[in-house]
Amino acid sequence: MTASSATALSPAITAAGLRKSYGDKVVLDGIDLSIPEGTVFALLGPNGAGKTTTVQILSTLIPANAGEAHVAGHHVTRDADAVRAAIGVTGQFSAVDNLLTAQENLILMADLHHLDRREGRRRAAELLRRFDLTEVAAKSAATFSGGMRRKLDLAMTLVGDPRVIFLDEPTTGLDPRSRRIMWDIIRGLVADGVTIFLTTQYLEEADQLADRIAVLDHGKLVAEGTAEELKRRIPGGHIRLQFADLNGLESAAALFGSVTRDTEALTLHIPGDGGIPALRAVLDVLDDASVEAESLTVHIPDLDDVFLTLTGHPRSGDQAGLQKENAR
């Protein structure tokens, strides 16, 4: 779904001036949100930024100290029961009961949703098929891999047929293949009209899935937009030229004004937005001067750059490694 089409939809989640403190510690410092139906909204931020607190308030688990919020058309405090009937929540830690089988976990959720026995079994069977868990339906959840547990956890969230789902770092700890399976499941839910509120520290995850992204830092929203809009806000794009020898490097450097050279790597970095006009202009200058580069690459700011620039927090090593593996 494109951002332009999403803006025409009714909001599934709205918030105005949400604040939350614990003693002297301010966790949320007045955030505003408007999230259209049938879209994925990703909330990014370093640890302690307030992401989980935002999910807890919007899913009625804790009250805000100030501000208003509506989910699926219902006020989160005055109509809390109606909100709970319309949402599903998958937290950072799995809610799967290890002592039960996959089928028993789903039937337990059906009982909690007050579905009759026949409907509960039908719904459980449907979700087992949907999440490719039918063959392990009778196996204890304790024997499941991390990816299988995450799929079962999300299936349990869907027993009540929610129209809004909060996914709080749902792929933390999953291997790249399991993460991509979860991404496909999320895309399928959105195609069915479900609204996804996603918190994540995996920046590629937000880039792949989200219609809109907001960056939360120290309890404040410091930026919001599509992935491309956020990337365009960050300087640092450049064209990287590599040469066969130092003479070629120096000849090319003399042709351009503001450049960064690396004489050991024989590379030249020319500032630019990575667009075709900028690339064509560089190549024309080189061609007119009969200077030949061995290779050319284009770097444009990515969500890593956005995250670091806006929050001052680099990703942790584990997250960086997993994202590099995902990108292969």
Side-chain angles (χ1 to χ4, degrees), residues 99-141:
L99 299 178
L100 302 179
T101 67
Q103 184 181 41
E104 288 168 345
N105 269 285
L106 290 168
I107 290 174
L108 174 61
M109 290 302 298
D111 290 341
L112 292 174
H113 281 282
H114 306 294
L115 301 181
D116 64 48
R117 186 173 181 81
R118 176 178 295 179
E119 176 60 18
R121 287 186 173 276
R122 186 200 66 79
R123 187 73 173 136
E126 174 191 324
L127 289 167
L128 288 167
R129 284 194 300 271
R130 182 172 184 177
F131 286 83
D132 197 24
L133 294 170
T134 301
E135 291 186 2
V136 296
K139 292 186 177 180
S140 167

Side-chain angles (χ1 to χ4, degrees), residues 135-151:
E135 291 186 2
V136 296
K139 292 186 177 180
S140 167
T143 66
F144 286 7
S145 66
M148 290 169 64
R149 289 173 60 83
R150 249 341 187 175
K151 287 200 295 183

